[in-house]
Amino acid sequence: MIQAPKGTFDVLPADSARRDQLELQARRILGAAGYRRIETPAFEATELFARGVGEATDIVQKEMYTFDDGGGRSLTLRPEGTAPVCRAYIEHGMHKLPQPVKLWYLSSFFRAEAPQRGRYRQFWQVGAEAIGAAGPEVDAELIVLLAELLEAMGVREVRLRLASLGSPETRSEYRTELTAYLRANEDKLSREVRRRIELNPMRAFDASDPGTQEVIRGAPTLLERLDDEDAEHFAEVQALLSDAGLRAELDPTLVRGLDYYTRTLFEFSSDALGAQSGVAGGGRYDRLIEQLDGPRTPACGWAAGVERILLAGSAQPTAAQIVDVFVARGGGEGGLAFRIAREARAAGLAAQLELAGRSLKGQLKQADRIGARYVAIVGGPDAVSLKEMESGEQRELSPDEVIPAILRGTRL
Ligand code: ATP
Ligand code: MG
């Protein structure tokens, strides 16, 4: 038997109601703030991610689905959304539009990871990017919108952690300092961290082994090394968030698995999730567009995991599907039944047609099961009997009278 590939899942009709709800809330909350939806291709040139996400990141080193397109070009299924959105921003000359350009997406992404609860090989993210503005209110507004979305979806036990990475220059000086510190304490570090000291010393903050954690407790932090402008930007972001009533924990050890961040960095997690606790993450990426050969453009954004939002969200009752009329067939009259259902839909009614060849009794049972308000029983080329399900009242009508009668909603 052929099954869905490991780490993937089907979204069955029963699961799609809450996904629809997430889409609706995202559109409502982000749309109201002036964000407009964007969709980019499911695959891109591999180089976009190698350059945009960063060669040294876990994503690029071991999580990408990369393939040859048959013509010698290397393509990769998108593992994240920011680099593609920036590629589109550059490609379509969006720097000529009024800035910032505010975009959101809801798309699927692909990472070759070990599947577990909340971690899949194809998963969905809802994301927002504000490109072309440097001010701290951009960062704060994005974080507030994300918090609103998580709240609207009933995500429980949410924690917001916040840090600043400063500029690449500060980071590079800090990196030298940290590398020297880690080298001096090399014997206590895990093999994995030791092996990657030069490649990515910041990853030491992510390590869970006691030896590395002990070393990290005494390590210098980047927050202590920010230059004046970066420190001021960060202080303003914090002040705006506190004004908005959002509680954020400063976390100088926050690192994210993408290389493009500058200044503000944040992560929302939920203690309701267990091991895969990250719900959403984001930050400022003022150098990314330049790195992709675009004009130097400040930008900020976030991405939230749809499956994790749904796992950590409260199950809300979903509205039952509305069915105005079920068109049943009493005789052999397929054509008229089909026409009535079609015209009913054209008139804005929700109409379902008998498609399974049930007996009339079976059709009435089906109409009841799906909660249809009316059943139109087509008996002959000209004969329709309209039954109101709640009262049980029934009347003979000509075919043209059926839809007006349902629209009036009057008692028969
Ligand atoms: P994690 O630490 O869990 O690996 P990440 O730092 O790789 O997360 P990001 O790249 O920042 O995650 O993606 C943003 C969000 O997308 C995450 O917070 C998470 O909710 C979701 N996400 C990331 N990878 C997966 C995955 N493999 N399956 C499901 N959701 C994911
Ligand atoms: Mg990851």
Side-chain angles (χ1 to χ4, degrees):
M1 196 177 67
I2 301 172
Q3 296 187 320
K6 190 174 159 193
T8 68
F9 52 86
D10 299 304
V11 179
L12 299 174
D15 311 322
S16 58
R18 292 186 67 219
R19 286 178 175 258
D20 289 349
Q21 196 182 12
L22 174 56
E23 181 171 351
L24 202 83
Q25 294 293 358
R27 179 172 295 122
R28 181 180 69 79
I29 292 166
L30 296 169
Y35 286 73
R36 297 171 67 208
R37 190 154 177 184
I38 185 169
E39 179 66 37
T40 60
F43 53 85
E44 297 270 358
T46 301
E47 197 195 345
L48 173 66
F49 302 113
R51 264 162 68 185
V53 177
E55 290 282 6
T57 61
D58 278 355
I59 292 181
V60 172
Q61 292 234 316
K62 50 189 183 196
E63 295 175 2
M64 298 208 303
Y65 286 105
T66 297
F67 56 98
D68 189 290
D69 74 346
R73 271 172 300 266
S74 177
L75 299 176
T76 292
L77 296 183
R78 57 183 172 197
E80 61 94 55
T82 302
V85 167
C86 290
R87 196 262 312 132
Y89 176 93
I90 299 167
E91 188 170 330
H92 300 284
M94 291 192 225
H95 63 279
K96 290 183 216 127
L97 301 173
Q99 306 289 300
V101 174
K102 297 183 284 186
L103 302 166
W104 74 278
Y105 58 80
L106 174 62
S107 319
S108 62
F109 296 90
F110 307 85
R111 294 184 193 176
E113 302 199 73
Q116 45 199 294
R117 188 179 133 95
R119 188 180 297 287
Y120 309 97
R121 291 182 173 175
Q122 179 179 4
F123 58 99
W124 269 254
Q125 287 183 341
V126 53
E129 318 282 355
I131 305 176
E137 54 288 334
V138 178
D139 312 41
E141 185 177 75
L142 275 161
I143 295 172
V144 168
L145 292 169
L146 175 52
E148 251 180 76
L149 178 63
L150 298 181
E151 195 186 337
M153 291 306 296
V155 177
R156 292 158 297 152
E157 298 173 59
V158 176
R159 287 205 305 154
L160 165 59
R161 287 178 304 142
L162 191 66
S164 174
L165 292 178
S167 66
E169 292 74 27
T170 312
R171 223 161 133 187
S172 144
E173 278 165 34
Y174 169 73
R175 193 184 155 117
T176 309
E177 185 185 356
L178 179 65
T179 305
Y181 173 82
L182 293 175
R183 280 266 169 258
N185 293 277
E186 209 167 331
D187 51 324
K188 298 192 202 105
L189 301 175
S190 75
R191 253 191 71 218
E192 174 74 3
V193 171
R194 208 181 319 143
R195 201 170 59 80
R196 288 167 56 120
I197 289 183
E198 309 297 338
L199 193 60
N200 196 354
M202 288 291 282
R203 294 302 282 191
F205 286 106
D206 255 359
S208 53
D209 65 286
T212 305
Q213 285 193 337
E214 192 204 315
V215 174
I216 279 305
R217 269 194 292 278
T221 69
L222 184 51
L223 274 184
E224 301 159 350
R225 300 289 186 267
L226 295 184
D227 71 27
D228 291 348
E229 277 177 37
D230 291 342
E232 189 185 329
H233 186 276
F234 189 46
E236 283 174 35
V237 172
Q238 288 175 267
L240 290 167
L241 291 179
S242 133
D243 265 7
L246 263 193
R247 275 229 345 252
E249 297 163 37
L250 275 201
D251 183 354
T253 70
L254 190 60
V255 278
R256 310 211 60 257
L258 305 117
D259 268 359
Y260 48 60
Y261 289 115
T262 49
R263 293 192 159 176
T264 316
L265 191 69
F266 54 91
E267 188 163 295
F268 281 85
S269 58
S270 164
D271 293 334
L273 279 178
Q276 263 61 54
S277 65
V279 174
R284 181 162 277 288
Y285 49 94
D286 291 343
R287 307 286 175 104
L288 176 57
I289 292 185
E290 195 180 7
Q291 217 165 291
L292 297 174
D293 296 331
R296 184 158 188 173
T297 311
C300 190
W302 50 255
V306 167
E307 291 74 31
R308 296 199 196 162
I309 289 179
L310 298 180
L311 279 171
S314 52
Q316 279 128 340
T318 50
Q321 205 178 13
I322 293 168
V323 183
D324 296 306
V325 58
F326 184 85
V327 186
R329 284 162 62 174
E333 274 313 307
L336 180 57
F338 195 85
R339 198 191 96 200
I340 289 175
R342 197 164 48 80
E343 288 178 1
R345 288 187 207 116
L349 295 169
Q352 289 191 30
L353 191 63
E354 168 58 23
L355 295 174
R358 294 181 180 87
S359 68
L360 185 57
K361 195 173 151 207
Q363 294 180 59
L364 290 171
K365 213 178 197 172
Q366 172 66 3
D368 191 48
R369 201 180 294 137
I370 64 176
R373 285 166 51 222
Y374 293 90
V375 184
I377 304 160
V378 178
D382 257 337
V384 182
S385 161
L386 189 65
K387 177 174 179 174
E388 191 192 32
M389 294 297 275
E390 198 183 310
S391 63
E393 276 175 60
Q394 192 164 337
R395 224 176 76 189
E396 305 301 317
L397 298 172
S398 77
D400 291 344
E401 292 172 320
V402 173
I403 291 163
I406 297 171
L407 284 173
R408 279 197 307 274
T410 46
R411 286 276 146 124
L412 295 167

